[in-house]
Amino acid sequence: MDADIERILLSHDQIQARVRAMAGEMAEVYAGSEQGLTIVPILSGSIIFLADLIRDLPLKMKIAMVQVSSYPGTATTSQQLEMKSDLGQGLAGRDVLLLDDILDSGNTIRHVQKLIRAREPASLRTAVLLRKPAKAPPDVPVDFVGFDIEDAFVVGYGLDFDDHYRNYPHIGVLRPEMSS
Ligand code: 5GP
Ligand code: MG
């Protein structure tokens, strides 16, 4: 895999430290939650982020996964949203924390935020590991951000290209010839 990566933007150690700090911020925010916390991770990109984050979050929680894909197959620019699973019941009255790997155009998160709000949670907050500020739209509120990054196509730590590289431990920029 290393040979396919042009350069590393964030090392595994940097990511781990930041995820631990984010868990600390969240633990404070949700310490007084009486409704109970439900984490809604957007699959598949947030799986590694989810797994690391929740083990640093000493709170009672439920996990309700949703699968949305805006980059089907080998596309590296946003395509039409494809919703592969639906949110179950049970978000009403809960403190909901939506989790995604990256905020790019914001279409994915905007869409899922709307679906969650329709289920009348007690609160809705959103956490993303990465944000591309060059594009992040002002109408998509996010409460927790791991890192602001440049506008490049990145892979690793859950982020894929054509479903590859999710297990790459760092976050790096893919060699352009790998996605052409
Ligand atoms: P948005 O809807 O905000 O444009 O895009 C969000 C989704 O697109 C993310 O959940 C992620 O799956 C995918 N995405 C956006 N930018 C990147 C990127 O740089 N690398 C990868 N691997 N996926 C991305
Ligand atoms: Mg995704």
Side-chain angles (χ1 to χ4, degrees), residues 42-46 68-71 75-79 81 99-111 128 130 132 135-137 140 149-156 158-162 164-166 171-172 174:
I42 301 180
L43 298 177
S44 305
S46 66
V68 185
S69 169
S70 64
Y71 282 39
T76 57
T77 53
S78 266
Q79 310 287 306
L81 286 183
L99 214 68
D100 203 4
D101 50 1
I102 186 165
L103 177 70
D104 185 11
S105 73
N107 291 338
T108 310
I109 288 177
R110 185 187 293 111
H111 182 74
V128 292
L130 305 175
K132 293 181 184 170
K135 289 200 212 155
V140 181
I149 61 162
E150 62 188 76
D151 190 12
F153 191 80
V154 295
V155 297
L159 292 120
D160 74 304
F161 173 70
D162 199 18
H164 287 125
Y165 311 109
R166 292 197 199 277
I171 289 173
L174 197 62

Side-chain angles (χ1 to χ4, degrees), residues 24-167:
E25 292 170 32
M26 290 168 187
E28 265 181 42
V29 169
Y30 289 110
S33 163
E34 285 168 13
Q35 291 80 9
L37 176 63
T38 299
I39 299 205
V40 178
I42 301 180
L43 298 177
S44 305
S46 66
I47 51 170
I48 314 280
F49 179 34
L50 171 75
D52 281 347
L53 182 79
I54 60 176
R55 285 177 294 173
D56 280 331
L57 209 47
L59 300 172
K60 198 166 172 181
M61 65 177 70
K62 294 185 180 183
I63 297 174
M65 308 198 183
V66 288
Q67 188 161 22
V68 185
S69 169
S70 64
Y71 282 39
T74 56
T76 57
T77 53
S78 266
Q79 310 287 306
Q80 199 139 9
L81 286 183
E82 197 186 319
M83 187 91 178
K84 288 186 193 151
S85 56
D86 204 358
L87 282 170
Q89 299 303 313
L91 296 186
R94 303 275 300 174
D95 285 320
V96 173
L97 176 61
L98 176 62
L99 214 68
D100 203 4
D101 50 1
I102 186 165
L103 177 70
D104 185 11
S105 73
N107 291 338
T108 310
I109 288 177
R110 185 187 293 111
H111 182 74
V112 181
Q113 282 178 340
K114 210 169 123 193
L115 292 175
I116 293 174
R117 275 194 213 102
R119 288 167 201 269
E120 303 187 332
S123 69
L124 171 61
R125 292 185 181 85
T126 301
V128 292
L129 180 66
L130 305 175
R131 176 171 63 183
K132 293 181 184 170
K135 289 200 212 155
D139 68 317
V140 181
V142 287
D143 304 274
F144 306 95
V145 178
F147 301 93
D148 280 319
I149 61 162
E150 62 188 76
D151 190 12
F153 191 80
V154 295
V155 297
Y157 199 77
L159 292 120
D160 74 304
F161 173 70
D162 199 18
D163 266 325
H164 287 125
Y165 311 109
R166 292 197 199 277
N167 61 321

